[in-house]
Amino acid sequence: MDFDGKVWPLAGGFGRYTRLVAVASWLPNVFVSLGFFSDVLYTGAPENQCQGLTGVPCGGGNNNSGAPHSNSSTCPGEWGLQTQSWLESTLVTQWDLVCANGWKVPLEQICYLIGWLLGFVIFGCVCDRFGRRKAFISALMVALPLGVALCFCPGYFSFLAIRIVFGAALAGIFLSFYIARLELCPPGLRLMITMIGGFFWLGGKLLLPGVAVLCSDWKVLQGAVTGMLLILSGYWCCHLLFPESPRWLLATQQLNRCKAELCLFSRANGIDTGDDFSGRDGLFTEIDSLWEAFPRPQYYSFCSLFGSRLIWRNALILGFTTFIGCGIRPCFSRNLMALGGSIPYFLQTGSEVLACIFLCITVNHWGRRAVLLLCTILTGFCSLLLLALTQYLFTAVSIAISVLGSLSSHAVVMLSVFYASEVLPTVIRGSGLGIILGLSILGQATLPIINLQQRSGFFLHHVVLSSFCILSVLSLLLLPETKRKGLPDTLRQGDSLRRPPLLIQATQDAVPLLSNGKPRADYNPDSYAQLASATKKMIKRNPINGQDNKALTND
């Protein structure tokens, strides 16, 4: 059944209540963003230097005697710890994660990202099996107690274990709101509503330094993040703020719950349905006629992708592109570190804001595939340019290219995730999108993995990711275009999305030999009856060889 064209308009469509739910779904992005980016401050890299041995870093180097520095107690001479963050106390100062213990900093970053990866995968499956609302509630129930427990961790490894599960819970909150918001929007507004949610995510990133300065201690900041998550309990208690997705209920054949949610939306939107729902020829009667009297709910898992013809290919391409967009970003941010201080943080965040604005302006006009191709080509070009000419470029030029590459790579990630949510059908949108977001986290984990190995593989990482950009450009040509199309709900609808021509747009059939000048209003190539009637009229009015053809058209 056509949900966007037939079912959803009867419930008010994107009416006042639906708009309220969409707006309310933006606020959690701020709180989850604070939790995600707080890890950058928790592990703020200290600038250690032995004051007695000028110029010798206290980061695992050797002193004059040739003995390695194990920790601050064995470091010769007095040394100062200057934390490059807005916090006075971090994990580094809490547990002395310097010198021989310096490897624990990237290990914590890797474990936290692994938690997010597992959260996307696990709660994506929960979204498809139990619904978007229940996935959010379960993630929030896990996040709140663990957020408090992190403030009282006695040791590093206990903090590490709790931090993994806390990151997984934050990922579940983000994913459930992202999917629920998308499934409420009509085709023309999906992009704008999703991009505004992206602005709220970046707003949390910009808000983080101010909150960190007010807190000054990482434990206080963690308590503040948990307190903000407590506000989300209002979405749990008030069903009107976060209702279940009627689209998912209908796609999984949960008809009674679907009818209840549709009635809720219609009443809240101020729509007097009358007999449109429960009448003899109403919507509910038509829905019941499509299935048996007592239909059983049908759930699908991510494994269902492998039985499809095209969905698995589209998901693989977009997941690969998302991984590249996140993995290549450290190649650009590394050059921005030359500016020092807080400038790289705000410069990179500003480029991400510009990327969102660029997508809002171009994607609905040029289409998803064309803009994604453009951003991927631009990302690869900036990466190759830095790779080949860094030592020959002025510092200002190198920074400008890095900012442009950061902008285009962020646009690639955001558009790939949004594109995947439109390509994946409703019945597996949670698990499929969870895998793709997990690949984005895997791309972000490449930098701390390199840091764990003393940055020995950074150049190879840059070369490999730049090569992958070229490969992804070729694979993007196989994607379908989803602009102004309804979301697919079933696997069959997902497989029906076909790849359009890259430059030549499909046009309506035309028969130039039967038309003079403007196309006729009574000519319809999809209707044989109208086609025959219009052809007869043309033959009557246009003589052939100077003879009247009226006799030729007599039955």
Side-chain angles (χ1 to χ4, degrees):
M1 178 174 290
D2 184 9
F3 186 88
D4 289 313
K6 191 169 186 178
V7 178
W8 200 223
L10 292 179
F14 202 66
R16 59 188 183 187
Y17 170 66
T18 311
R19 292 194 296 268
L20 175 63
V21 174
V23 171
S25 68
W26 294 334
L27 183 61
N29 278 10
V30 178
F31 305 147
V32 178
S33 176
L34 288 172
F36 179 77
F37 292 106
S38 63
D39 193 64
V40 178
L41 305 187
Y42 290 173
T43 58
E47 191 176 287
N48 308 327
Q49 189 169 359
C50 297
Q51 302 298 329
L53 299 172
T54 305
V56 180
C58 185
N62 294 335
N63 55 20
N64 287 344
S65 61
H69 301 163
S70 59
N71 50 42
S72 59
S73 61
T74 62
C75 180
E78 297 179 357
W79 57 278
L81 187 66
Q82 300 174 353
T83 304
Q84 300 299 313
S85 68
W86 294 279
L87 293 175
E88 297 178 2
S89 174
T90 64
L91 301 179
V92 178
T93 59
Q94 176 81 21
W95 290 303
D96 199 19
L97 304 182
V98 294
C99 298
N101 291 326
W103 60 273
K104 293 182 179 180
V105 173
L107 178 63
E108 191 279 337
Q109 296 171 348
I110 294 171
C111 290
Y112 186 56
L113 292 175
I114 288 176
W116 275 78
L117 190 155
L118 294 176
F120 281 132
V121 174
I122 294 173
F123 285 100
C125 297
V126 174
C127 283
D128 288 339
R129 180 60 180 81
F130 300 101
R132 287 63 169 131
R133 178 176 170 81
K134 290 184 178 179
F136 157 71
I137 293 174
S138 58
L140 185 63
M141 291 176 62
V142 174
L144 290 178
L146 291 183
V148 176
L150 284 172
C151 301
F152 303 99
C153 283
Y156 170 79
F157 289 102
S158 60
F159 174 87
L160 214 62
I162 299 176
R163 188 75 169 157
I164 292 175
V165 186
F166 180 72
L170 291 182
I173 295 174
F174 174 83
L175 181 61
S176 56
F177 274 101
Y178 189 96
I179 298 175
R181 181 192 312 120
L182 182 85
E183 293 178 347
L184 293 177
C185 302
L189 294 176
R190 280 200 304 260
L191 175 72
M192 190 61 63
I193 298 299
T194 303
M195 289 299 111
I196 294 177
F199 284 120
F200 274 79
W201 174 268
L202 296 175
K205 187 177 180 179
L206 290 173
L207 187 64
L208 179 61
V211 178
V213 170
L214 293 176
C215 295
S216 74
D217 187 275
W218 75 267
K219 292 184 178 180
V220 180
L221 178 59
Q222 177 62 38
V225 171
T226 307
M228 293 179 184
L229 291 177
L230 186 61
I231 300 176
L232 299 183
S233 59
Y235 292 81
W236 178 5
C237 301
C238 183
H239 185 85
L240 289 174
L241 284 177
F242 190 17
E244 187 53 83
S245 170
R247 182 189 296 271
W248 174 76
L249 293 173
L250 183 61
T252 54
Q253 300 182 18
Q254 303 180 64
L255 303 187
N256 292 331
R257 293 181 60 190
C258 178
K259 294 175 183 178
E261 292 294 337
L262 289 175
C263 290
L264 170 66
F265 274 91
S266 63
R267 289 194 301 267
N269 283 322
I271 301 298
D272 184 13
T273 57
D275 294 335
D276 292 339
F277 274 174
S278 56
R280 181 176 180 181
D281 298 327
L283 176 64
F284 291 167
T285 304
E286 185 176 354
I287 291 176
D288 291 334
S289 64
L290 295 178
W291 290 281
E292 298 178 358
F294 300 98
R296 296 180 58 185
Q298 292 187 1
Y299 304 105
Y300 299 84
S301 65
F302 183 77
C303 297
S304 303
L305 283 178
F306 301 105
S308 62
R309 294 177 299 168
L310 299 176
I311 303 175
W312 68 269
R313 185 196 68 186
N314 298 333
L316 179 63
I317 293 172
L318 292 170
F320 181 62
T321 308
T322 306
F323 169 78
I324 294 171
C326 286
I328 206 171
R329 297 194 71 191
C331 303
F332 303 120
S333 60
R334 184 187 186 186
N335 293 327
L336 300 180
M337 294 303 172
L339 298 174
S342 304
I343 297 178
Y345 182 89
F346 290 106
L347 193 59
Q348 192 169 11
T349 306
S351 66
E352 294 170 357
V353 173
L354 292 177
C356 290
I357 296 175
F358 173 76
L359 294 179
C360 291
I361 296 174
T362 59
V363 173
N364 273 340
H365 181 68
W366 292 343
R368 280 67 164 150
R369 190 177 63 158
V371 176
L372 186 56
L373 273 170
L374 174 64
C375 294
T376 307
I377 293 172
L378 188 59
T379 302
F381 176 75
C382 292
S383 178
L384 292 173
L385 200 60
L386 291 176
L387 190 63
L389 303 176
T390 297
Q391 56 183 342
Y392 304 106
L393 296 174
F394 293 105
T395 303
V397 177
S398 178
I399 291 175
I401 296 174
S402 299
V403 171
L404 181 60
S406 179
L407 187 154
S408 59
S409 62
H410 185 73
V412 166
V413 175
M414 290 197 67
L415 185 54
S416 296
V417 174
F418 174 72
Y419 204 167
S421 64
E422 291 188 321
V423 170
L424 293 168
T426 301
V427 291
I428 55 170
R429 184 169 292 122
S431 56
L433 201 59
I435 294 293
I436 292 174
L437 286 170
L439 289 174
S440 71
I441 297 297
L442 187 61
Q444 295 184 43
T446 55
L447 180 60
I449 290 175
I450 294 174
N451 291 337
L452 192 62
Q453 299 176 349
Q454 303 298 324
R455 292 181 176 267
S456 59
F458 191 84
F459 179 78
L460 180 61
H461 167 264
H462 196 166
V463 173
V464 171
L465 267 297
S466 299
S467 304
F468 281 174
C469 267
I470 300 175
L471 180 60
S472 66
V473 168
L474 299 177
S475 62
L476 289 176
L477 299 175
L478 301 175
L479 292 175
E481 180 56 63
T482 57
K483 183 178 68 173
R484 298 189 184 93
K485 293 182 179 179
L487 293 175
D489 292 325
T490 63
L491 296 176
R492 178 177 297 179
Q493 292 177 358
D495 275 332
S496 66
L497 297 176
R498 298 292 180 178
R499 177 181 63 87
L502 180 62
L503 298 176
I504 303 176
Q505 299 296 327
T507 57
Q508 191 179 22
D509 295 339
V511 186
L513 294 179
L514 296 180
S515 61
N516 293 323
K518 299 181 179 179
R520 296 175 57 89
D522 56 352
Y523 172 67
N524 183 6
D526 297 327
S527 174
Y528 175 78
Q530 295 185 14
L531 177 62
S533 176
T535 304
K536 290 179 180 180
K537 293 180 180 179
M538 293 178 190
I539 294 175
K540 289 179 180 179
R541 296 175 182 176
N542 297 298
I544 302 176
N545 296 326
Q547 297 179 359
D548 189 17
N549 293 292
K550 292 183 179 181
L552 298 176
T553 59
N554 293 330
D555 295 331

